[in-house]
Amino acid sequence: MVKLTGEDLRIEDVVSVARNNSKVEIDEKAIQRVRDYRKIVEKLIEKGKLIYGVNTGVGELANVALTRDQVKEFQKYLIYSHAAGGGERASEEDVRAVMLARINTLLKGFSGVRPVIIETMAKMLNRRVTPLVFSASVGASGDLAPLAQIALVMMGKGEAFFKGKLMSGKEAMRKAKIKPVEFEAKEGLAVINGPTLTTGIGALEVYDAKKFVKTSEIAAAMSLEALNAVMTAFDERIQKVRGYKGAIDCAENIRRITEGSEILSQKKERVQDAYSLRSTPQVIGAARDALEFSEKMIEIELNAAADNPLFFLDNGGECLTGANFQGTPLAFALELLDIAITTVCALSERRLNRILDPKLNNGLPPFLSKKGGLFSGMMVAQYTAASLVCENRILCTPAAIGSIPVSGNQEDFVSMCTVTALKTKRILKNAYTILAVEFLAAAQGLDFREPLKPGRGTKTAYDVIRSYVEPLEEDRPLYKDIERVAKLVEKGRILEEVEKEIGELK
């Protein structure tokens, strides 16, 4: 059970609700706060004050005043007109993350909705009514089109999955025994006016990226052992005198993973290795530090009043218009995440190259095959990794600088944060495969180091991989092996088993 207050939602809570179908509970103090703010909306309307999106049109039509009779009807037509989505379908877990984030925003009270709006969304989560949502959005005024598809289902319209089966929104709400809502003044706008698709997807991506970075350290440790690396570069003194926390933690993790290694305890004739090996703490460490920033930004947004206009209790009740729907902070957070993941992948591919190249791999057979010439070993698996690294580099081209004006130039600067979130998803998917190829090569390299034993953590990772993929004694199609290990990376299985053996990594 996740209790929602509007103040303390965390990324782990989003994962629990979105992926594990944990139920949500609404804090009663927060609901009372929502009631108090709703009174301000009603009071200002009664006074005849013009309020954007309440008794006026929206966007370029903001200067068109609505009559009292039109105010309620406008919210319905607002949702209809804004449900103009396209692009790829958002997954059910993504939409659940979005709904959770939007509930938390509305619980802050500043959006001025009635409690029934929040309670209806919470029932939809708890009873597994998940609207069909298309992902295309410019990220300001928030993720309007995708969120409008959620609002449609709240009204008993649109389409939704009920317990995984797609049907009409009306039928899904009926089966779940949830009464559709009729949006009153401000409420339709409040549901859609924030970058919440980006927030929900971004929360899941940050969670996955954290696991990926730790898993990349396990892959690095295996490669270091396969290459019989010089480990002085991982001495904590080197990292501490520079001072970056990410590098300090990365070096410590790799020392712990390789602890007890007979391979690495061998005497070395060389004094240092290539950058792709000895720069590992500095590079993965920088990704760790970037990820910390991304996580902070996403968690701020999870608990933010991301809407316009906003209502305040000051001076007997005020309405202020601004731009808290603007997704640029999220765009920057996820663009940085893209760069971090892609850089970690580039380093992985370079370690992979060294394991395969007989001129660089410190005594391993060419391309990890006992019969080079007849067999090509893992030669072409590197091509796959190289291709995906290149694709990720292209995907790192920032969407956040790609504003295209909309709404007759009233909305003349938009964040494109949702485009960033969608490409982050693709980057992560590619990253799992890149790391999988390194894991396969490193495991094969360790086979050639026998009878010397690897470290405790490295041995655990090796055993997980070998429980799914046999050693490459002779050439065979590798695509299934790569796919299996990529799934292990994505699901965090290798990380989970290594942490069981040596304790939680930093």
Side-chain angles (χ1 to χ4, degrees), residues 435-450:
L435 214 59
V437 178
E438 183 184 3
F439 269 122
L440 285 168
Q444 188 77 1
L446 291 178
D447 289 332
F448 287 109
R449 297 297 181 190
E450 292 179 347

Side-chain angles (χ1 to χ4, degrees), residues 87 268 297 457:
K268 313 291 193 304
M297 298 297 279

Side-chain angles (χ1 to χ4, degrees), residues 464-483:
V464 173
I465 292 164
R466 284 289 173 251
S467 69
Y468 288 85
V469 177
E470 295 180 352
L472 189 65
E473 298 294 339
E474 60 181 46
D475 281 359
R476 63 172 183 261
L478 291 177
Y479 68 94
K480 289 186 178 180
D481 296 349
I482 295 169
E483 185 178 31

Side-chain angles (χ1 to χ4, degrees), residues 26-43:
I26 305 299
D27 179 68
E28 184 52 42
K29 288 182 180 178
I31 282 291
Q32 184 55 53
R33 181 171 66 227
V34 169
R35 292 190 187 101
D36 293 341
Y37 278 92
R38 180 63 189 179
K39 290 175 184 176
I40 300 301
V41 179
E42 293 169 352
K43 177 181 174 181

Side-chain angles (χ1 to χ4, degrees), residues 17 34 45 98 187 252 258 264 290 320 389 414 443 483 506:
V17 173
V34 169
I45 293 173
V98 173
E187 292 176 336
E252 180 180 337
T258 58
L264 294 176
L320 302 178
V389 169
V414 297
E483 185 178 31
K506 286 192 173 180

Side-chain angles (χ1 to χ4, degrees), residues 81-129:
S81 67
H82 283 58
E88 66 181 72
R89 288 185 178 184
S91 68
E92 287 190 66
E93 69 175 39
D94 286 347
V95 177
R96 287 178 61 81
V98 173
M99 293 171 69
L100 181 70
R102 200 64 197 163
I103 290 171
N104 210 53
T105 286
L106 299 178
L107 269 177
K108 298 186 77 67
F110 300 108
S111 294
V113 302
R114 293 170 297 153
V116 68
I117 303 302
I118 295 165
E119 291 161 354
T120 298
M121 293 181 78
K123 287 177 184 177
M124 290 167 68
L125 279 177
N126 288 341
R127 300 178 193 179
R128 294 185 59 191
V129 175

